[in-house]
């Protein structure tokens, strides 16, 4: 069970352990050919949130290969260490090797969120190279893709920018995969509830001080105009 000083969502009436409907179908159909063909172990980045927790458990079933999980503790919130430990406990219960990486060199000034994102990528890439892992899966969903498109529209991005996040991309000598870009966040959370698995919610995901949170809130009002998450994600796919 995930524990955090933030909001921890736990299921109230879990069903028998079996993949549930949409999440099962989506996970199987959106695992890219690169994931099936890549050799060796598969790395999975797991924060403890709902998306990455579902990614970890579904890939353990679908990937048919050994996986190893990694969590980056940015140390930006008092709860982060406990959340990382909760992921470690989840992995231990399922015999999945797990590592916790800690961000030590924080910038004195500048955009802390961007710096944390880049640090996370660099730390995971370093971990993967040390472990001999060439492929790492990330838990970004269709909702994340839609938010990214909206943010880039607001910043005046061109066609390339509107392609948003790629399902597969090489960087830092690692192949990064996003198997869930066609899956809604709620589908994954519904599946976790049916499985009886909890997750940690970062309070920052509700803080309107962050651009991404404001974009998420704006989507609620844009959806009736035909600019909902599915439409924006489809736009990104056409631009890719």
């Amino acid at each position: 069970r995930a524990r955090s000083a933030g909001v921890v969502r736990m299921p109230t009436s879990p069903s028998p352990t079996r993949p549930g409907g949409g999440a099962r179908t989506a996970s199987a159909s959106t695992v890219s050919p690169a994931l099936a063909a890549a050799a060796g172990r598969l790395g999975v980045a797991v924060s403890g949130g709902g998306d990455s927790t579902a990614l970890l458990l579904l890939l353990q079933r679908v990937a048919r290969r050994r996986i190893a999980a990694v969590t980056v503790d940015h140390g930006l919130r008092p709860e982060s260490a406990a959340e990382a430990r909760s992921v470690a406990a989840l992995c231990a219960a399922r015999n999945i090797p797990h590592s916790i990486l800690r961000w030590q060199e924080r910038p004195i000034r500048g955009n802390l969120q961007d710096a944390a994102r880049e640090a996370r990528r660099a730390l995971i890439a370093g971990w993967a190279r040390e472990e001999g892992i060439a492929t790492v899966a990330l838990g970004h969903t269709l909702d994340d893709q839609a938010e990214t498109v909206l943010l880039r529209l607001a910043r005046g991005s061109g066609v390339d920018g509107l392609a948003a996040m790629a399902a597969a991309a090489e960087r830092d000598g690692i192949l990064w995969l996003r198997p869930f870009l066609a899956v809604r966040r709620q589908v994954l959370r519904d599946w976790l509830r049916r499985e009886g698995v909890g997750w940690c919610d970062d309070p920052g995901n509700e803080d309107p001080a962050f651009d991404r949170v404001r974009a998420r809130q704006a989507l609620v009002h844009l959806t009736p105009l035909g600019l909902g998450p599915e439409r924006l994600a489809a736009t990104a796919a056409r631009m890719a």
Side-chain angles (χ1 to χ4, degrees):
R1 174 175 300 197
R3 295 179 177 85
S4 160
V7 177
V8 180
R9 301 195 183 279
M10 296 301 298
T12 55
S13 55
S15 66
T17 302
R18 62 177 177 79
R24 174 60 158 79
T25 302
S27 67
S29 63
T30 58
V31 172
S32 69
L35 174 59
R41 287 187 300 162
L42 171 67
V44 186
V46 187
S47 67
D51 303 339
S52 61
T53 298
L55 176 70
L56 175 72
L57 301 185
L58 285 165
L59 283 181
Q60 187 183 33
R61 301 180 184 191
V62 172
R64 296 182 180 179
R65 52 194 287 197
R66 290 184 302 150
I67 65 174
V70 61
T71 301
V72 175
D73 177 7
H74 293 100
L76 298 178
R77 295 181 293 109
E79 310 86 8
S80 64
E83 291 169 359
R85 289 193 298 270
S86 75
V87 177
L90 177 71
C91 290
R94 288 160 175 76
N95 297 315
I96 300 172
H98 176 257
S99 300
I100 297 175
L101 311 177
R102 290 180 173 82
W103 185 29
Q104 305 289 350
E105 301 177 2
R106 299 185 188 86
I108 298 175
R109 58 179 63 88
N111 189 315
L112 185 60
Q113 293 293 315
D114 285 346
R117 187 162 41 251
E118 288 301 314
R120 176 175 178 267
R121 179 71 66 97
L123 285 167
I124 293 175
W127 165 82
R129 286 191 293 268
E130 289 179 4
E131 294 287 329
I133 292 172
T135 307
V136 175
L138 306 171
H140 298 111
T141 65
L142 183 150
D143 300 85
D144 295 307
Q145 183 77 298
E147 292 157 14
T148 299
V149 172
L150 195 58
L151 287 170
R152 292 187 179 181
L153 275 171
R155 294 166 185 165
S157 293
V159 172
D160 289 343
L162 293 181
M165 295 183 288
E170 288 195 36
R171 180 178 172 184
D172 301 325
I174 304 298
L175 177 62
W176 304 89
L177 300 178
R178 298 180 176 91
F180 288 161
L181 287 184
V183 184
R184 293 298 304 269
R185 182 177 294 135
Q186 190 60 48
V187 169
L188 297 175
R189 282 157 172 69
D190 289 344
W191 180 79
L192 286 172
R193 289 189 182 96
R194 287 193 293 270
E195 291 292 302
V197 178
W199 66 91
C200 303
D201 276 341
D202 181 350
N205 290 333
E206 303 297 329
D207 187 348
F210 299 120
D211 289 345
R212 184 167 291 273
V213 175
R214 292 198 296 273
R216 186 174 304 144
Q217 294 170 345
L219 281 170
V220 174
H221 303 288
L222 291 172
T223 297
L225 300 176
L227 289 174
E230 288 88 352
R231 180 64 57 83
L232 290 172
T235 297
R238 286 194 293 270
M239 295 294 183

